[in-house]
Amino acid sequence: MRILTAGTPAIACPTLAVLDDDPDHEVVAALTRPDAAQGRHRTPRPSPVAVEASQRRIPVLKARSLRSGQAREVISAMDVDVAVVVAYGALIPADLLERPRHGWINLHFSVLPRWRGAAPVQRAVMAGDSTTGATVFRLVEQLDAGPVYNTRSYPIRDTDTSGTLLRRLSEQTTDMVTAALRDIAEGIEPTPQPIAGITTAPKITPDDTRLDPSWSAADVDHLVRGSSPAPGAWGELAGERFKVLLTRIWHADEGLAPGELRATKKHLLMGTGQGTVELVTVQAFGKRAMSGADWARGAQPAVGATLE
């Protein structure tokens, strides 16, 4: 098949690589988002998909939106059998959905219809789900509502962040895309999604990730792991924003008030509304990320210091 791919972050690269390496398919072009400012000096850098495609000598199309512009015109005229989307980051206009002979298919990292939207893995971890998964479905106008070619479930580990879980899913689900392409070639139609069980997964913003120490230790841990590595959970310590990038539930009763910090030689602990968490990785305002214990040795927080 002649294929157009669409994706932006690193989690889209495994699928791009598998399709490009498959002798049964030809990746005609890779659609991705424009270069984005990164790093301390905000230098524009190409997306991971743009880098991967360029290294493979696949033509790259860059577009923030397909409602207008050169990329839209190129895709409208493109001779492809199917378009494969993995985390592109923008909606496909209705008229372009009909351009490839077999439409557009999407590898989405949840078992639909649970967690339709931009941040399914983050929302699953934040909600304390014990499992997640992946779905390959045909794109339709309604967000993540198209009929399904295949699904697969995976456990969410107690140590998973959204970053580690996304990476694992992206590497272990490429065969789901190739299986869907075989179904398309054989004329097998996808199955409509269930009506029951729909939940939504809007993009995570910093407003979603402010820590509330009055929550239970489990809920605080879910929020931190679900929002790591970005945008990161945060609170205020001595009036300055203080990020918490990784936690671990502490199984001893330390008698700490919600938000109260206590440093030991090897650990930085925080009380919650029910139980205690260890702040494994933190980032004080204007500083680099570091272990909670290392931060405490340098900062020496006062007795009774509280994250609010």
Side-chain angles (χ1 to χ4, degrees):
M1 284 189 174
R2 288 172 54 82
I3 297 172
L4 166 68
T5 67
T8 299
I11 58 170
C13 291
T15 295
L16 173 60
V18 164
L19 293 177
D20 187 49
D21 290 340
D22 192 328
D24 292 333
H25 303 302
E26 177 189 358
V27 179
V28 175
L31 171 67
T32 191
R33 303 271 285 178
D35 297 2
Q38 298 179 27
R40 187 172 184 179
H41 300 291
R42 309 305 294 162
T43 303
R45 300 184 188 279
S47 73
V49 163
V51 172
E52 178 79 17
S54 296
Q55 291 173 345
R56 292 173 170 273
R57 299 186 179 182
I58 297 170
V60 176
L61 300 173
K62 297 181 181 181
R64 195 175 309 279
S65 169
L66 292 178
R67 299 196 180 281
S68 62
Q70 183 180 7
R72 173 188 172 85
E73 295 175 3
V74 171
I75 292 170
S76 294
M78 192 173 286
D79 177 25
V80 292
D81 296 300
V82 66
V84 176
V85 182
V86 186
Y88 167 49
L91 296 177
I92 311 301
D95 61 314
L96 286 188
L97 291 177
E98 306 300 324
R99 297 307 301 164
R101 275 180 282 277
H102 299 291
W104 298 61
I105 65 172
N106 186 28
L107 172 61
H108 181 83
F109 296 117
S110 78
V111 179
L112 292 171
R114 186 161 177 79
W115 302 127
R116 292 178 178 178
V121 171
Q122 293 91 331
R123 295 291 180 181
V125 178
M126 289 167 67
D129 290 1
S130 60
T131 62
T132 186
T135 303
V136 178
F137 69 98
R138 179 187 293 161
L139 284 186
V140 296
E141 287 189 62
Q142 185 180 355
L143 181 65
D144 297 338
V148 171
Y149 286 100
N150 54 60
T151 65
R152 188 179 296 164
S153 295
Y154 290 88
I156 298 177
R157 301 168 184 168
D158 291 342
T159 55
D160 271 327
T161 65
S162 63
T164 62
L165 183 53
L166 269 168
R167 185 164 56 250
R168 189 164 70 250
L169 291 173
S170 72
E171 293 169 350
Q172 296 182 5
T173 56
T174 58
D175 63 315
M176 295 176 63
V177 175
T178 54
L181 293 175
R182 286 195 298 272
D183 285 350
I184 290 171
E186 294 171 9
I188 298 173
E189 289 295 316
T191 302
Q193 288 186 35
I195 297 175
I198 297 171
T199 60
T200 58
K203 181 181 177 180
I204 304 296
T205 71
D207 289 341
D208 298 319
T209 61
R210 179 160 189 167
L211 281 168
D212 186 340
S214 69
W215 293 357
S216 70
D219 287 341
V220 167
D221 184 57
H222 294 151
L223 175 66
V224 171
R225 291 189 294 108
S227 58
S228 181
W234 63 279
E236 289 189 354
L237 183 63
E240 297 279 10
R241 185 169 290 207
F242 187 86
K243 280 191 174 184
V244 180
L245 302 178
L246 187 63
T247 49
R248 182 184 300 122
I249 295 176
W250 193 257
H251 292 290
D253 183 6
E254 298 293 334
L256 296 173
E260 182 181 355
L261 302 180
R262 177 181 297 163
T264 71
K265 285 186 176 181
K266 296 183 178 180
H267 307 284
L268 177 63
L269 307 178
M270 185 185 80
T272 72
Q274 183 180 345
T276 303
V277 292
E278 180 185 1
L279 307 187
V280 178
T281 307
V282 302
Q283 186 174 14
F285 181 79
K287 304 292 184 180
R288 63 178 178 83
M290 62 182 69
S291 75
D294 286 346
W295 171 83
R297 276 192 291 273
Q300 297 183 338
V303 174
T306 300
L307 184 67
E308 299 176 344

